């Protein structure tokens, strides 16, 4: 890689989705990388502050939903001095173009980055239909 | 619109003449929040990565920053006087040759930031840890800058 650039602060984006959130608190869209090769689709999502047990992944008819819960970690006696980022849940939905083998989805959360591996399903084998005269 | 609300509102009676005003003030807050983030905090926000939250209790300062995908050994944290310096680099490893990207929103790069703490600190009691991509630095306040209880005789 060439000379790496300086990272810039990016404002966290609040979810403005079609589904109204029913619980109080801010909800943010995680930043993602999505890439595929011939065999699988991979998704990486930045979800800092989310513990491995607090991620929910749901795939329903090609609609992939990722949500992550951030447990409050501030002590009760702490008072704010400078607040530059807000803390809240993460939520994002994707529609998948390829047929995914739902039974083989793997998810791993490491250092606040979720890695989803979605293997593509075996394509239906094309069948040759022979017409018999009768 | 607000004026109409104010006078039409059923709870607006003689008993609580400022009810409507309070509600209006909250609405204004929400409006400013929508336009420029947190009200009043806008000018304080440094545009240097990473964004940090600084909190305190009576003995300690807590500095938190969201640094997903950064290993603890890729971070360099130093204390100098009242300043806390955080620097490091985020690398995103290559995912192989034959891949096609649909989205690429995560970024890699270097960062370096100094956070000035509001009071004197005890430089020998600074702890830092990474939990689930969240950096947390705990800094003890120096004895001189801890609040003291003064008893009145």
């Amino acid at each position: 890689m060439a000379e790496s650039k300086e990272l810039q602060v990016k404002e966290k984006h609040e979810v403005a989705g079609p589904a109204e959130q029913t619980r109080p608190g801010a909800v943010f869209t995680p930043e993602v990388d999505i890439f595929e090769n011939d065999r699988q689709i991979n998704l990486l999502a930045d979800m800092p502050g989310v513990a491995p047990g607090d991620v929910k992944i749901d795939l329903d008819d090609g609609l992939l939903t990722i949500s992550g819960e951030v447990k409050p970690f501030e002590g009760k006696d702490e008072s704010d001095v400078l607040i530059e980022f807000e803390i809240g849940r993460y939520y994002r939905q994707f529609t998948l173009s390829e047929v995914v083998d739902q039974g083989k989805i793997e998810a791993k959360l490491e250092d606040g980055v979720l890695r989803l591996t979605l293997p593509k399903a075996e394509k239906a084998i094309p069948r040759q239909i022979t017409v018999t005269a009768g | 619109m607000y004026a109409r609300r104010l006078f039409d509102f059923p709870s607006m009676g003689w008993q609580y003449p400022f009810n409507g005003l309070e509600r209006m003030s909250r609405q204004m807050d929400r409006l400013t929040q929508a336009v420029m983030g947190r009200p009043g905090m806008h000018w304080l926000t440094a545009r240097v990565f990473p964004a940090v939250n600084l909190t305190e209790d009576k003995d300690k300062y807590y500095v938190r920053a969201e640094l997903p995908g950064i290993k603890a050994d890729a971070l360099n944290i130093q204390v100098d006087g009242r300043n806390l310096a955080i620097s490091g680099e985020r690398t995103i490893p290559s995912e192989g040759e034959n891949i096609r990207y649909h989205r690429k929103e995560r970024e890699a790069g270097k960062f370096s930031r100094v956070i000035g703490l509001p009071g004197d600190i005890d430089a020998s009691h600074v702890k830092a840890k990474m939990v689930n991509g969240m950096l947390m630095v705990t800094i003890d306040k120096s004895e001189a800058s801890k609040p003291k209880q003064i008893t009145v005789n």
Side-chain angles (χ1 to χ4, degrees):
Chain A
M1 199 194 287
E3 184 69 27
S4 76
K5 59 174 177 161
E6 296 269 323
L7 277 174
Q8 300 296 317
V9 175
K10 280 201 267 183
E11 211 66 56
K12 287 167 92 174
H13 290 287
E14 275 208 64
V15 169
E20 197 81 20
Q21 298 290 331
T22 48
R23 279 178 298 162
V27 185
F28 298 102
T29 50
E31 286 178 354
V32 297
D33 282 358
I34 303 174
F35 48 89
E36 65 173 298
N37 59 20
D38 295 337
R39 299 181 155 272
Q40 63 193 33
I41 302 170
N42 285 38
L43 186 150
L44 298 179
D46 286 347
M47 299 169 111
V50 180
D54 297 333
V55 183
K56 264 200 291 192
I57 297 140
D58 184 52
L59 180 62
D60 181 18
D61 199 18
L63 183 68
L64 178 73
T65 308
I66 301 167
S67 58
E69 201 77 34
V70 179
K71 296 233 172 72
F73 43 74
E74 294 190 351
K76 61 179 192 311
D77 294 331
E78 289 179 35
S79 58
D80 295 349
V81 180
L82 168 70
I83 300 298
E84 290 183 345
F85 65 89
E86 299 284 337
I87 296 153
R89 297 195 298 280
Y90 295 96
Y91 180 88
R92 197 157 173 182
Q93 284 189 319
F94 302 95
T95 35
L96 298 175
S97 54
E98 298 277 338
V99 181
V100 166
D101 191 340
Q102 301 207 13
K104 289 185 187 156
I105 299 174
E106 278 174 42
K108 205 169 76 175
L109 186 72
E110 198 181 345
D111 301 324
V113 180
L114 175 73
R115 172 181 282 269
L116 268 186
T117 310
L118 308 144
K120 294 181 186 175
E122 294 287 325
K123 287 269 156 54
I125 302 149
R127 284 179 301 152
Q128 192 76 42
I129 292 140
T130 46
V131 182
T132 50
Chain B
M1 190 181 89
Y2 286 129
R4 233 186 88 97
R5 266 275 185 79
L6 198 68
F7 293 116
D8 284 355
F9 223 85
S11 69
M12 178 75 190
W14 289 110
Q15 268 176 317
Y16 306 103
F18 296 111
N19 256 7
L21 276 180
E22 264 174 37
R23 188 169 292 120
M24 199 163 83
S25 138
R26 275 203 299 275
Q27 280 172 341
M28 281 305 285
D29 272 355
R30 226 170 292 141
L31 204 72
T32 23
Q33 217 163 355
V35 174
M36 51 192 196
R38 225 179 148 86
M41 301 300 274
H42 183 65
W43 299 275
L44 293 172
T45 313
R47 309 309 294 166
V48 182
F49 187 92
V52 297
N53 280 0
L54 171 62
T55 58
E56 64 173 339
D57 61 17
K58 87 180 184 309
D59 303 320
K60 290 182 170 79
Y61 291 111
Y62 303 92
V63 177
R64 295 186 177 89
E66 293 183 324
L67 298 168
I70 298 175
K71 297 270 180 214
D73 56 15
L75 276 174
N76 179 15
I77 297 170
Q78 287 178 2
V79 182
D80 177 20
R82 283 187 181 184
N83 292 330
L84 174 76
I86 301 172
S87 62
E89 185 169 2
R90 184 183 189 196
T91 49
I92 294 179
S94 166
E95 297 288 344
E97 288 295 306
N98 292 314
I99 57 162
R100 298 177 297 278
Y101 271 95
H102 292 273
R103 277 167 200 267
K104 203 171 192 330
E105 298 167 355
R106 301 165 67 240
E107 287 180 358
K110 287 182 181 151
F111 57 89
S112 174
R113 173 157 191 194
V114 175
I115 298 130
L117 297 166
D120 283 333
I121 57 168
D122 182 354
S124 57
H125 287 89
V126 181
K127 285 190 220 82
K129 62 176 177 182
M130 284 292 287
V131 185
N132 298 321
M134 183 83 79
L135 171 72
M136 165 141 164
V137 187
T138 314
I139 305 153
D140 279 24
K141 292 184 182 177
S142 70
E143 281 306 320
S145 59
K146 283 182 189 171
K148 303 258 179 330
Q149 187 73 41
I150 291 139
T151 44
V152 180
N153 294 313

